[in-house]
Amino acid sequence: WSSDVCSSDLSFDEATRRSMARRAHVLSSLQSAVQDEQGRFGVCYQPIRECKTGDFGTLEALLRLRDGDGTPIPPDEFIPLAEETGLIGELTWILLDEVCTFLSGHAALPVKSVSINLSAQQFLDAELIDRLDGVLRAKDVPASKLKIEVTERVIAENLQTARAAMRRLTGLGLAFYLDDFGTGYSNFSSALALPFECIKLDRSLVSPLGESEKSRLLVRSVVEAFHAMGMSLVAEGVETAEQLERLRVIGCECVQGYYFAQPMPVGEFERLLAENTGGRELRRGYPAGIQP
């Protein structure tokens, strides 16, 4: 009995040590990347497909990080640490600068807009509006080219501040997406109370579409309700042809997911555009079930 306990304790201690060491490594890499500006951050773009035309007219920009030896650090490791340590604001400005550089340098590409995420920390930043406006002006990017994604969890942390910031930003010509609708945080009251242009349906609503009639009825009612309020929709996490067809029949305007394209660098996106003739469906190298 005592031997088993000792073995269990040792195993727990080793697992804890490894977890703490990994956390320290990721945090150190994150801090160094923010401070030294050595190009260890990069941006990938996940195309969003328009159901009617088959075009990839809009993109979501996603920040990526490599450690000192070039090894990728998964976003689900460094993003929570950035939020916890207050570095998420720096990451957002890095992402915004890269996105605006992309938009200004690739004006010939048929890209209607690119979306980025804002955290609760950004909405509490008194310089948010001026900094966003300043970057757009410096890069000569129309405000209509940039979309801001926020989750209801972010909004709920300071609703009044978020509402005021969103109203001022829409005055600049920016538009907002409500992200992750259907995760348990999001509800219709947020969409009604705030100036959202588009609703992004979470993969938790999309995944069961090929298996459950109740899921199809639920998504149909959600889509119809938002359409009645004058909002468009993007379905996230599309991984199968059946999910795509269900969403098309339901009337969802746009879809995003690994069935078409993983997050990719600019060069890969340009190749995707060249190959996507006539709305032909393309799948870009990730098996179904892999999460972006």
Side-chain angles (χ1 to χ4, degrees), residues 43 45 61 93-109 114 116 134-142 145-146 266 270:
V43 177
Y45 297 90
W93 299 124
I94 291 169
L95 177 63
L96 176 66
D97 188 76
E98 290 292 330
V99 167
C100 288
T101 298
F102 161 71
L103 286 170
S104 63
H106 295 79
L109 289 179
V114 177
I116 66 170
V135 174
L136 290 169
R137 289 178 182 276
K139 302 288 185 179
D140 195 25
V141 174
K145 287 272 193 177
L146 185 68
V266 172
E270 291 177 311

Side-chain angles (χ1 to χ4, degrees), residues 33-286:
V34 169
Q35 293 169 2
D36 62 22
E37 299 182 356
Q38 293 293 313
R40 284 160 55 185
F41 285 111
V43 177
C44 285
Y45 297 90
Q46 187 168 28
I48 297 171
R49 185 180 190 263
E50 297 177 12
C51 289
K52 286 186 178 180
T53 65
D55 293 337
F56 295 106
T58 57
L59 305 167
E60 179 179 359
L62 302 160
L63 197 65
R64 295 294 185 254
L65 171 65
R66 296 181 180 274
D67 64 16
D69 64 6
T71 303
I73 297 176
D76 60 4
E77 286 193 271
F78 76 83
I79 295 294
L81 266 179
E83 292 175 338
E84 182 182 328
T85 58
L87 289 172
I88 192 67
E90 294 298 327
L91 269 58
T92 300
W93 299 124
I94 291 169
L95 177 63
L96 176 66
D97 188 76
E98 290 292 330
V99 167
C100 288
T101 298
F102 161 71
L103 286 170
S104 63
H106 295 79
L109 289 179
V111 174
K112 297 176 183 177
S113 64
V114 177
S115 65
I116 66 170
N117 284 274
L118 282 191
S119 70
Q121 182 176 322
Q122 260 72 53
F123 281 115
L124 295 174
D125 186 347
E127 298 180 356
L128 171 65
I129 289 86
D130 289 340
R131 289 192 69 172
L132 271 170
D133 188 40
V135 174
L136 290 169
R137 289 178 182 276
K139 302 288 185 179
D140 195 25
V141 174
S144 60
K145 287 272 193 177
L146 185 68
K147 308 297 182 182
I148 307 296
E149 296 192 19
V150 292
T151 65
E152 190 183 27
R153 180 178 64 84
V154 166
I155 295 165
E157 293 183 15
N158 200 317
L159 178 60
Q160 296 304 319
T161 300
R163 180 185 285 118
M166 290 174 71
R167 285 176 176 169
R168 289 186 63 189
L169 288 169
T170 54
L172 295 178
L174 293 163
F176 287 85
Y177 292 179
L178 177 60
D179 196 15
D180 297 338
F181 184 88
T183 57
Y185 290 103
S186 300
N187 57 57
F188 286 100
S189 63
S190 294
L192 289 169
L194 297 165
F196 288 109
E197 174 185 275
C198 179
I199 308 298
K200 299 191 77 172
L201 301 180
D202 187 72
R203 63 171 26 86
S204 62
L205 291 178
V206 173
S207 295
L209 280 176
E211 306 165 2
S212 168
E213 180 62 25
K214 288 183 178 179
S215 294
R216 291 193 286 273
L217 291 172
L218 173 62
V219 173
R220 181 185 296 275
S221 66
V222 168
V223 170
E224 290 175 350
F226 281 123
H227 280 168
M229 290 187 278
M231 301 175 193
S232 60
L233 292 103
V234 175
E236 298 181 290
V238 176
E239 296 180 347
T240 69
E242 186 170 9
Q243 290 169 354
L244 171 63
E245 179 60 17
R246 297 289 184 187
L247 289 162
R248 186 192 65 78
V249 171
I250 287 169
C252 191
E253 293 93 329
C254 296
V255 290
Q256 177 179 1
Y258 277 31
Y259 183 72
F260 303 104
Q262 65 184 15
M264 58 185 67
V266 172
E268 181 72 10
F269 174 61
E270 291 177 311
R271 287 191 290 274
L272 175 65
L273 287 179
E275 295 169 3
N276 188 47
T277 55
R280 180 163 52 89
E281 295 175 9
L282 298 174
R283 291 189 288 271
R284 307 294 295 178
Y286 272 68

